[in-house]
Amino acid sequence: MSKDKSMDPMTGDTVETDGIYANEAGQEVTLKRGDEFPADLVLGRTTWDLQGFAEEAEIDHDQTELNPMRKRADNRT
């Protein structure tokens, strides 16, 4: 038995974090803080799971922001 007592938000609960949420049927919606979790057309009252943050910055896989630009050697004398 799990000791985790937290529950996913349900239809009608208030959104606490801006993000992209998916319900049990896989429907995804973008919600903002203060919005109300909507009901599903088929399931009615459902739980919602945070899938990702809205306005998420593009991931820099090469970490170019961490690598300083190299100075060019000037061969002119």
Side-chain angles (χ1 to χ4, degrees):
M1 180 180 209
S2 174
K3 293 184 180 187
D4 181 19
K5 302 226 185 245
S6 65
M7 294 179 61
D8 289 332
M10 295 283 298
T11 297
D13 289 348
T14 302
V15 177
E16 294 181 5
T17 304
D18 294 358
I20 301 165
Y21 292 85
N23 66 9
E24 299 167 56
Q27 173 194 5
E28 289 189 348
V29 293
T30 301
L31 299 170
K32 295 192 176 277
R33 185 177 186 184
D35 289 347
E36 188 176 287
F37 286 100
D40 184 76
L41 296 174
V42 176
L43 299 174
R45 188 166 165 83
T46 185
T47 59
W48 293 89
D49 186 37
L50 180 64
Q51 301 297 302
F53 295 106
E55 307 298 326
E56 203 166 55
E58 188 174 316
I59 297 171
D60 183 16
H61 293 288
D62 298 327
Q63 297 181 343
T64 54
E65 76 227 12
L66 302 177
N67 300 330
M69 292 198 54
R70 293 184 183 174
K71 293 182 179 178
R72 289 179 29 169
D74 193 281
N75 293 336
R76 292 179 279 164
T77 54

